Amino acid sequence: MATKAIAETQTRLLKAIRHNAMVCIHGHIGLGKTFAVHTVLRRHAPDTTVRLRYNNGANMNEIRTQLWRRLDLPGDPPQSVGPCDQQIHDALEAQPRVLLIDEVQGLGAKALEYFRTLWGDDARRAPIILVGSGNARQKILNNPALHSRILDWYQFSPPHPHRSPVHHSRLPADLGRCTTRTDPVHRRHGRPRIV
């Protein structure tokens, strides 16, 4: 599927991978953000992508535990935050990875800050792809430290109805009898009906 949205997503993700940067892909629900991101990453970083998706309002223990397991670190994560975070950070620096964090709109400020600190300020960084809908962009904008590190953004938009291609072979044969009459029998939510 070659669409403008996938091409724009690919441009941003490849930029993130090339520069070990953070990018954000956002937009309304159901527009194909996650599909586009997964499609591009399967093609360009199939073995290095760490896919993360958290429930709405996930606590920090859940976030660390899932990240620990997705990085295939041995055993259970340490109960102490410092050693746990250090081992996660070391694993991200030791082997090139791409962190894909989907549904970021459900993460709290503390979780977003945590991912910013994992990205760090060092030369060896993991690219981080943030994907979300709803207020995802606003949440990131409300976190100046995270916002200042986003290299690029892409907003998925609904297709414009007048720019959608029309496949004439799929139009009903009796389209010529289409009416815009305003009587209640033929009018349904302002759309023409076949009579």
Side-chain angles (χ1 to χ4, degrees):
M1 174 187 275
T3 66
K4 180 182 180 220
I6 290 179
E8 294 289 342
T9 300
Q10 179 172 306
T11 298
R12 280 143 180 99
L13 297 188
L14 293 179
K15 188 187 300 185
I17 293 168
R18 187 170 42 255
H19 298 292
N20 294 330
M22 297 176 96
V23 298
C24 179
I25 308 296
H26 64 99
H28 292 292
I29 294 171
L31 296 179
K33 299 173 301 296
T34 299
F35 173 78
V37 169
H38 283 276
T39 299
V40 172
L41 290 176
R42 279 189 193 106
R43 193 176 302 143
H44 296 283
D47 301 324
T48 59
T49 300
V50 178
R51 290 171 172 80
L52 302 167
R53 185 178 194 162
Y54 297 100
N55 292 328
N56 201 13
N59 65 45
M60 292 307 297
N61 185 49
E62 293 169 323
I63 288 169
R64 286 183 177 97
T65 300
Q66 187 183 77
L67 185 53
W68 182 276
R69 291 195 176 117
R70 295 288 165 90
L71 290 171
D72 290 327
L73 295 174
D76 291 327
Q79 294 300 314
S80 181
V81 171
C84 181
D85 288 348
Q86 187 59 52
Q87 288 182 53
I88 289 171
H89 196 272
D90 291 346
L92 289 171
E93 286 188 348
Q95 181 181 349
R97 313 277 178 107
V98 177
L99 286 182
L100 166 58
I101 305 158
D102 199 1
E103 304 293 342
V104 297
Q105 74 276 2
L107 297 176
K110 193 172 186 179
L112 291 172
E113 180 62 16
Y114 176 70
F115 287 113
R116 186 205 57 84
T117 60
L118 279 183
W119 185 68
D121 295 316
D122 302 320
R124 292 180 56 102
R125 296 179 169 140
I128 296 180
I129 314 302
L130 304 170
V131 181
S133 61
N135 65 344
R137 180 179 171 91
Q138 191 57 50
K139 278 192 167 192
I140 294 169
L141 291 172
N142 289 340
N143 184 330
L146 177 60
H147 173 244
S148 68
R149 287 165 175 81
I150 302 292
L151 176 68
D152 206 352
W153 302 80
Y154 182 67
Q155 180 175 358
F156 270 64
S157 300
H160 191 281
H162 297 294
R163 294 187 194 140
S164 298
V166 175
H167 299 283
H168 296 287
S169 61
R170 294 186 184 169
L171 292 177
D174 55 356
L175 185 65
R177 295 186 333 203
C178 187
T179 182
T180 56
R181 293 180 5 193
T182 57
D183 59 305
V185 174
H186 298 291
R187 189 181 63 181
R188 301 288 184 263
H189 306 288
R191 291 180 286 197
R193 296 287 173 218
I194 305 292
V195 292

